[in-house]
Amino acid sequence: SISQSDNLQYTRGSLQGGDGSGVVFECFNPNSGTLEFWVRPNWNGNDGVAYTIFALNYSNLDVANSMYIIKWSDNVLYASFDDGAGVIRRPFRSIPSWTAGTWYHIVLVYDVNNPVSGSNKMELYINGSSTGNNYTNTTGTFTKFTSVASVFAIGQSTNNTSQFNGVIAGRVLNRPLTSTEVTALYNSGQGNQE
């Protein structure tokens, strides 16, 4: 179940796990879980600049054993999982209509062993809906990470690039939420206030 104690807030460029804040990292399961963020960008979705929301072992696209949520310079929000064996799952959605100062709810639900939506083992929700998602899936069997980095980053890539310009509040859950739970979280508006 989800409770207020699950709520975590981060400053821009927070690194979780390797700097003594392992409590947060211990809640993170790279093979099954949910990443939930409320974001208020200080930019419009069509600005052509990359901003990272979440990064695990991410310094560039298609890095083995990586997971990220990033608004790329093509004005598309990508969520990606590269399992280390070259198998990639990447739901994405175009977001050029986003406006600076508006709150958006982003949820990534994933499970390498079981589909979380239809046949997809990864689903991206924006404002409670996965409608409009596209998918880049390479061929091959989707497997667990072969190794896991000791830190993840909120608001920047793990090499300190693509820093998020705005406010991020969120939580890391060690189980995949259902679509009903994601919609309920969005409708409740929890986390979208300063």
Side-chain angles (χ1 to χ4, degrees), residues 90-188:
R90 185 178 296 142
F92 62 94
R93 189 176 328 167
S94 182
I95 58 165
S97 62
W98 280 23
T99 56
T102 301
W103 284 100
Y104 298 95
H105 187 233
I106 300 169
V107 177
L108 176 63
V109 179
Y110 57 95
D111 189 330
V112 299
N113 296 312
N114 301 297
V116 294
S117 176
S119 63
N120 295 313
K121 294 186 176 183
M122 213 176 168
E123 193 66 270
L124 175 66
Y125 295 86
I126 300 176
N127 293 342
S129 173
S130 62
T131 302
N133 282 351
N134 294 295
Y135 300 88
T136 299
N137 297 323
T138 59
T139 59
T141 302
F142 196 43
T143 61
K144 296 180 180 182
F145 278 121
T146 55
S147 67
V148 179
S150 62
V151 298
F152 61 79
I154 305 291
Q156 69 181 23
S157 67
T158 49
N159 68 350
N160 199 29
T161 61
S162 306
Q163 290 190 344
F164 189 85
N165 180 6
V167 178
I168 299 174
R171 65 177 103 200
V172 177
L173 300 172
N174 63 1
R175 70 173 180 89
L177 295 180
T178 66
S179 61
T180 302
E181 289 173 310
V182 171
T183 301
L185 284 171
Y186 172 68
N187 289 336
S188 71

Side-chain angles (χ1 to χ4, degrees), residues 29-107:
N29 179 345
N31 296 305
S32 177
T34 300
L35 304 174
E36 178 198 16
F37 300 102
W38 282 95
V39 299
R40 189 184 72 189
N42 293 331
W43 39 266
N44 293 324
N46 62 354
D47 70 349
V49 178
Y51 302 102
T52 302
I53 296 166
F54 174 87
L56 172 72
N57 195 34
Y58 169 74
S59 57
N60 202 346
L61 293 177
D62 304 331
V63 174
N65 297 304
S66 67
M67 181 186 296
Y68 59 83
I69 302 172
I70 187 170
K71 183 264 189 191
W72 200 244
S73 57
D74 62 358
N75 306 318
V76 173
L77 185 70
Y78 294 93
S80 187
F81 185 109
D82 185 328
D83 70 0
V87 178
I88 299 169
R89 297 294 184 256
R90 185 178 296 142
F92 62 94
R93 189 176 328 167
S94 182
I95 58 165
S97 62
W98 280 23
T99 56
T102 301
W103 284 100
Y104 298 95
H105 187 233
I106 300 169
V107 177

